[in-house]
Amino acid sequence: MIIYILNDFITPFIAILLWIGVFHFSPSIRSGSSLSTLVTYYLIVTFFVLTITQHPELSVGHEDIYQGRLSRLLLKPFSYFSYIIISSSGWKTIRIAVSIIPFVGVTLLFRDYIDIKITQQNALLSIVFAMIGYFVIFYSKLIVGLTAFWVEEHWGIVHLFWALETLFSGFFLPFDVLPPFLQSISLFLPFRFFYYIPTRYLLADQHSSSVLLDVSIGALWIGLLVIISHLLFRRGLFRFTDTRS
Amino acid sequence: MNYLLYLRVYLQLLKTNVIQQLTHRANLYAGILATLSWVGLSVITMTIYSYQTPSIGGWNRQELFILVGVFSVITGVTYTLFLPNFQNITEMVNDGTFDFVLLRPLDSQYVATTRVISLQNVSRIIVGIALVLIAGIHRGITNTDIFLALILILTAIIALYSLWMLFMTLNFYSQHLWNISVFLLDLFGQLERTPGDMIKAASVWAFTFLLPMLVIVNTPTKALLKELTLSSLVEFLFITAVLLVGSRLFWKFSLRHYTSASS
């Protein structure tokens, strides 16, 4: 578990070092973001990565479908979807508890660069969007995992998803530094609800007029992803054959 | 040591592996897709960084692409030849099936790290070479630069192999490090898009900690860019020698801590 927790810190840690290096040689960047804004952004994103990220694409795709554990779970007297949500949440709770200390450590390491003013309103909005992000992450990754019903070696799809997630979710690069055409593409993808939007609302200087719009789009994404995942699961079950357990 | 025997064994293993992987093509295509996703992400990331500022610590866009390209070649060769074996070491030590490696009439490190190859990472090598050539044309790279860089890339592969071996050998001491390869893959993936000068400017202690990895990535690139100094070359060769000897000695020492579990 410690290795996986360290993994969560590598990307933002290297990204922060990289941006500190960029600003060491160049006083400004095209997007207009300052170094303290970027460092604060990455620390907040790391917080959300630690708290709301799950990996059902691994447990569902590889363990349940590929290794055949699904056949035993289907016999249990509870819904498979409820099971994966609850087990994923349980695992997440433990990881959050273990991640607090390294997170505090990294925050103290870069404390000179932090510039954050959190209001009650920002915190509340951020919590709302974090909850939306939680379910968007869960169901989108669940869909990726369910592709294992059709593609035995679904690792290619999983890695492609992870690469897109890294690019568009705000994990490695803030939305603001993406070129305009990539920002346009990301508007049609659910990834920005993963980490960028909860972070943006937490760090916003003023109350955004697009709150209602963002909540509506987030809710729509959840609805759409839930429907797709249920459809895929039902169709996939017809194809499922447990050959390993 | 009968080097001819080792070579014959390796060629046979290579042939068997290629046949096996070409038989399961879906697996191969999935792996290639995964590999290209990450290499593509590195290229896009470098494009975005260079879009934000024309020069990052003195590195312009072509030079950053050459950095990504060189690193892709180094990791591509290392991962093609050795990555599945590194991951298998973990499983074998934890399962207790490492005995079968020790029973072979060949050096244990050789047997443990050469049994399987990963053809999917050949795509990483191809993309890396393409990046270097395309960006290199703009940079005016000569055949001499390429020749020197090739020698340093080979040295970097040895250094990277040794570094991985150092970490994988830790599995002899603890079962809880089974996922250390995941950590290393992620770390190297991040360093792939990171000129060493940037890390040094940001934090000297981070640079010191990451020095071996950064030197492996950056030195062959600097040779291509005609920016290699004698001190960097000596530092690189010294680090490689220390890693190679250190990993070998650590492996030999750690074998004494291996206890078979069940076989």
Side-chain angles (χ1 to χ4, degrees):
Chain A
M1 188 196 295
I2 291 175
I3 302 283
Y4 281 131
I5 290 166
L6 282 176
N7 250 27
D8 289 337
F9 285 97
I10 291 172
T11 299
F13 185 73
I14 300 288
I16 289 174
L17 289 178
L18 197 55
W19 284 112
I20 293 174
V22 167
F23 278 88
H24 182 85
F25 293 101
S26 174
S28 64
I29 59 175
R30 192 182 287 222
S31 72
S33 302
S34 67
L35 178 59
S36 58
T37 308
L38 286 167
V39 173
T40 309
Y41 171 88
Y42 279 110
L43 289 171
I44 301 298
V45 160
T46 306
F47 173 76
F48 284 119
V49 167
L50 294 172
T51 50
I52 65 175
T53 303
Q54 321 112 69
H55 293 285
E57 76 277 26
L58 298 176
S59 57
V60 170
H62 188 69
E63 291 172 22
D64 294 348
I65 297 174
Y66 185 70
Q67 292 183 350
R69 199 174 67 166
L70 180 63
S71 55
R72 292 198 299 278
L73 292 169
L74 289 172
L75 294 172
K76 302 284 186 201
F78 45 74
S79 148
Y80 176 66
F81 273 63
S82 307
Y83 165 77
I84 44 178
I85 289 176
I86 292 168
S87 63
S88 169
S89 305
W91 175 238
K92 192 77 240 176
T93 308
I94 297 170
R95 275 189 71 167
I96 291 170
V98 177
S99 304
I100 288 173
I101 294 173
F103 176 71
V104 169
V106 171
T107 306
L108 288 172
L109 198 63
F110 295 110
R111 64 185 178 278
D112 294 334
Y113 300 99
I114 296 173
D115 177 22
I116 185 168
K117 297 174 196 65
I118 300 177
T119 63
Q120 243 179 352
Q121 192 174 47
N122 287 1
L124 197 61
L125 285 172
S126 186
I127 289 170
V128 168
F129 283 106
M131 285 166 58
I132 291 174
Y134 184 87
F135 288 105
V136 172
I137 290 171
F138 177 80
Y139 280 103
S140 54
K141 290 191 176 190
L142 177 61
I143 288 168
V144 173
L146 290 173
T147 59
F149 278 128
W150 289 271
V151 182
E152 195 177 300
E153 298 296 337
H154 72 299
W155 285 111
I157 299 172
V158 171
H159 279 271
L160 178 62
F161 180 89
W162 284 346
L164 290 172
E165 178 194 356
T166 304
L167 182 62
F168 290 114
S169 67
F171 183 30
F172 188 65
L173 290 166
F175 200 70
D176 307 323
V177 305
L178 293 181
F181 79 94
L182 281 179
Q183 289 189 27
S184 306
I185 292 170
S186 71
L187 290 175
F188 297 96
L189 300 170
F191 297 108
R192 61 196 182 105
F193 283 94
F194 284 27
Y195 314 118
Y196 172 69
I197 287 190
T199 306
R200 191 184 81 183
Y201 276 96
L202 189 64
L203 298 177
D205 284 336
Q206 57 195 2
H207 178 58
S208 173
S209 56
S210 63
V211 172
L212 217 53
L213 180 65
D214 285 336
V215 169
S216 307
I217 295 173
L220 269 170
W221 270 117
I222 293 175
L224 183 65
L225 293 168
V226 166
I227 292 169
I228 292 173
S229 59
H230 277 85
L231 275 172
L232 283 178
F233 183 68
R234 280 203 195 130
R235 302 209 84 161
L237 272 184
F238 285 116
R239 299 174 57 93
F240 176 67
T241 311
D242 175 13
T243 57
R244 289 171 192 263
S245 65
Chain B
M1 199 186 224
N2 187 348
Y3 293 109
L4 208 54
L5 170 65
Y6 281 83
L7 181 62
R8 280 208 316 265
V9 167
Y10 189 73
L11 288 172
Q12 187 57 45
L13 283 170
L14 196 65
K15 190 172 145 189
T16 312
N17 271 288
V18 169
I19 292 169
Q20 193 219 8
Q21 292 196 31
L22 289 177
T23 307
H24 298 96
R25 283 186 211 163
N27 193 12
L28 180 61
Y29 296 151
I32 290 173
L33 179 62
T35 304
L36 290 178
S37 302
W38 292 111
V39 178
L41 179 66
S42 294
V43 172
I44 291 171
T45 308
M46 283 307 181
T47 309
I48 291 171
Y49 277 123
S50 56
Y51 168 79
Q52 287 297 324
T53 173
S55 169
I56 302 177
W59 295 69
N60 62 28
R61 182 176 288 187
Q62 280 80 33
E63 290 165 353
L64 289 172
F65 282 155
I66 290 172
L67 175 72
V68 173
V70 167
F71 193 65
S72 292
V73 171
I74 294 169
T75 51
V77 173
T78 310
Y79 293 169
T80 298
L81 299 177
F82 306 115
L83 182 62
N85 301 294
F86 292 143
Q87 292 162 332
N88 287 342
I89 287 174
T90 307
E91 283 171 30
M92 288 192 294
V93 169
N94 286 336
D95 291 346
T97 54
F98 194 74
D99 302 1
F100 300 114
V101 171
L102 297 172
L103 287 172
R104 299 270 193 270
L106 297 166
D107 179 75
S108 59
Q109 187 173 349
Y110 173 87
V111 175
T113 58
T114 57
R115 289 189 323 159
V116 185
I117 65 162
S118 166
L119 279 184
Q120 71 190 54
N121 283 291
V122 172
S123 57
R124 192 187 285 264
I125 302 171
I126 294 169
V127 171
I129 292 171
L131 273 173
V132 170
L133 290 175
I134 293 168
I137 288 170
H138 291 281
R139 196 58 172 69
I141 288 174
T142 63
N143 289 339
T144 314
D145 299 328
I146 293 174
F147 180 71
L148 178 60
L150 275 173
I151 295 173
L152 292 177
I153 285 171
L154 275 168
T155 315
I157 290 166
I158 294 171
L160 189 60
Y161 167 87
S162 305
L163 194 61
W164 269 87
M165 279 308 297
L166 273 173
F167 280 100
M168 290 299 113
T169 308
L170 291 172
N171 280 290
F172 285 112
Y173 299 95
S174 173
Q175 271 191 324
H176 301 293
L177 296 173
W178 57 271
N179 52 358
I180 201 165
S181 59
V182 174
F183 171 75
L184 288 175
L185 280 170
D186 210 6
L187 181 61
F188 282 118
Q190 297 306 319
L191 293 177
E192 183 174 32
R193 1 174 206 273
T194 312
D197 304 326
M198 310 298 298
I199 301 291
K200 195 174 183 180
S203 167
V204 172
W205 69 263
F207 177 75
T208 309
F209 177 72
L210 297 170
L211 182 65
M213 300 167 209
L214 291 170
V215 165
I216 290 169
V217 177
N218 286 252
T219 308
T221 310
K222 289 194 172 178
L224 271 175
L225 301 176
K226 302 188 221 299
E227 289 172 12
L228 186 66
T229 61
L230 184 62
S231 60
S232 309
L233 181 63
V234 169
E235 181 184 55
F236 176 56
L237 293 174
F238 176 73
I239 286 174
T240 303
V242 165
L243 285 173
L244 184 62
V245 171
S247 65
R248 178 66 179 169
L249 289 174
F250 189 40
W251 175 265
K252 293 295 254 183
F253 176 77
S254 301
L255 280 180
R256 294 179 221 161
H257 287 82
Y258 170 68
T259 313
S260 170
S262 63
S263 60

